[in-house]
Amino acid sequence: MDSRTLRNLMRIVQTGSLSAAAEHSCLTVQALAAQLNKVEEQFGFRLFRRSNKGLTLTPQGTELTPYMDRVLIATRQMEEKVETLKAPGQRTLKVALNTTLAPDFNRRMIGRLIEVFPDYQMEFSYAESMENLSKLKNEDFDLAVLIGPQRPGLPSLVLPDVQVQVVGAHCGQENDPLTLLGNKFQVRPAEDCPYSHSFLRFLDAGLGNHENGQRMIYSCSETLTLSLITQMDGVGMVSREAAQKNGLTIFPGFEDFLEVRLAVNNPNLSGQALNEVVDLPLHERAERNVRSRPNRHTEKEVFAEIRT
């Protein structure tokens, strides 16, 4: 069965009428009925019950409909991919930038990617590491900036000289005794959160409490952690920049540095180009002029969509 016939059958499912489905399919009722009869003959069972009120799905047709829908979705995605490959100049590169990093870093990364991949239409989004990881897995993003160690099964390149400094933070005073701080509500990073290992080191350093009765809640978002620390008078692990920006008190004597990576979810991207993205020092970006690149795009020819 070809995809066109499958689409016509789904139109019958949606309309419950041969005449309406035939009109949408630009076929005669007789031609569409012939297609339906041929498919039912191949399957060996009826897909629809016929009545004066129209066509309704049989139990077998009801069970088969979700599979038909999935085939159509996959076919449409394949057709879109074919069109993309036929016109490489219109390829889209989906990049997930990281909100934990400074706006200046993200601005430079955008400029760097536009320069290195001039033949791609850029689509950018901003989110934290956990959401970026989900985008790589579920939304077919090509690149994502992640914080923390290498993720199994996900190739990545370390961004040199770029780190996130994480600290323990709370809403108390700097001279609060550790016994008082140890009784605070703990906002712990979820297991997959890039700050989880740092929080365990924070506890091992004696600045927290290991007791099983300790009040705690898990968070996979720095934004949520900041909110919980403030609202519940808690203690948690956040970046130093976020702690200072939100007026939190930082525990003295502990800090951890996490590397930043560019995760790659597209095997078709040139390794040489990716290394050029990673190896370009941040301070050089302002000195290099995008307009000096051979065969450059003009400003109107560079398409970049920013989503938050």
Side-chain angles (χ1 to χ4, degrees):
M1 184 196 320
D2 59 32
S3 60
R4 182 177 302 175
T5 300
L6 196 55
R7 289 192 185 96
N8 294 341
L9 292 179
M10 289 301 294
R11 290 189 178 105
I12 299 175
V13 174
Q14 294 161 1
T15 63
S17 165
L18 268 178
S19 57
E23 183 178 353
H24 288 145
S25 304
C26 298
L27 294 173
T28 64
V29 174
Q30 292 78 8
L32 183 56
Q35 283 188 359
L36 174 57
N37 291 334
K38 183 177 180 181
V39 170
E40 289 181 329
E41 184 180 346
Q42 290 175 344
F43 286 169
F45 53 78
R46 291 282 188 179
L47 294 174
F48 298 94
R49 295 190 186 96
R50 280 77 165 172
S51 71
N52 293 333
K53 295 181 180 180
L55 281 75
T56 57
L57 285 167
T58 63
Q60 296 92 332
T62 300
E63 288 192 34
L64 195 60
T65 298
Y67 295 91
M68 296 165 61
D69 194 43
R70 289 175 202 164
V71 171
L72 285 176
I73 292 173
T75 301
R76 183 170 61 252
Q77 291 175 339
M78 184 183 70
E79 290 171 349
E80 291 174 353
K81 185 64 176 179
V82 169
E83 290 303 316
T84 300
L85 294 174
K86 285 167 60 178
Q90 297 299 313
R91 290 176 295 179
T92 298
L93 194 66
K94 299 173 69 174
V95 183
L97 301 173
N98 203 301
T99 53
T100 303
L101 300 171
D104 182 64
F105 169 85
N106 286 319
R107 178 183 63 81
R108 293 177 186 275
M109 179 60 74
I110 289 172
R112 183 180 307 181
L113 288 163
I114 290 175
E115 180 177 0
V116 174
F117 296 104
D119 295 327
Y120 284 83
Q121 176 177 318
M122 295 288 180
E123 180 179 326
F124 295 98
S125 72
Y126 288 96
E128 294 183 37
S129 286
M130 293 294 290
E131 187 175 342
N132 283 351
L133 190 62
S134 176
K135 289 178 179 179
L136 288 173
K137 295 179 179 178
N138 303 320
E139 299 183 34
D140 295 326
F141 269 64
D142 302 287
L143 300 169
V145 178
L146 304 178
I147 296 170
Q150 171 81 38
R151 296 275 179 171
L154 183 61
S156 64
L157 301 170
V158 176
L159 297 172
D161 304 321
V162 182
Q163 291 181 321
V164 173
Q165 184 182 11
V166 294
V167 297
H170 62 99
C171 291
Q173 304 297 319
E174 289 187 15
N175 57 355
D176 284 347
L178 292 181
T179 53
L180 175 62
L181 299 178
N183 293 326
K184 283 183 175 288
F185 195 99
Q186 287 186 7
V187 185
R188 292 197 175 200
E191 183 178 354
D192 289 338
C193 177
Y195 297 174
S196 59
H197 183 68
S198 299
F199 191 81
L200 294 178
R201 291 188 60 240
F202 170 70
L203 295 181
D204 290 339
L207 301 177
N209 195 327
H210 282 285
E211 295 180 5
N212 292 332
Q214 179 75 27
R215 297 175 304 148
M216 69 179 67
I217 190 170
Y218 287 89
S219 168
C220 61
S221 162
E222 182 174 73
T223 301
L224 177 60
T225 298
L226 290 166
S227 178
L228 292 172
I229 291 174
T230 303
Q231 295 179 18
M232 307 184 73
D233 189 25
V235 54
M237 185 68 51
V238 297
S239 66
R240 177 176 288 276
E241 182 177 350
Q244 293 172 337
K245 183 178 179 180
N246 288 271
L248 299 180
T249 300
I250 297 174
F251 282 101
F254 176 85
E255 60 184 11
D256 203 4
F257 292 89
L258 301 181
E259 61 191 9
V260 178
R261 295 176 170 272
L262 181 65
V264 183
N265 194 37
N266 185 340
N268 296 320
L269 294 178
S270 162
Q272 180 178 352
L274 291 169
N275 283 324
E276 186 177 346
V277 172
V278 171
D279 292 341
L280 180 63
L282 286 177
H283 64 83
E284 288 186 11
R285 184 63 191 89
E287 300 171 7
R288 296 179 62 175
N289 192 334
V290 174
R291 294 178 172 82
S292 65
R293 186 180 178 92
N295 301 319
R296 63 172 177 81
H297 287 282
T298 66
E299 187 176 24
K300 292 183 179 179
E301 292 172 327
V302 177
F303 300 94
E305 179 182 350
I306 308 292
R307 296 193 293 130
T308 57

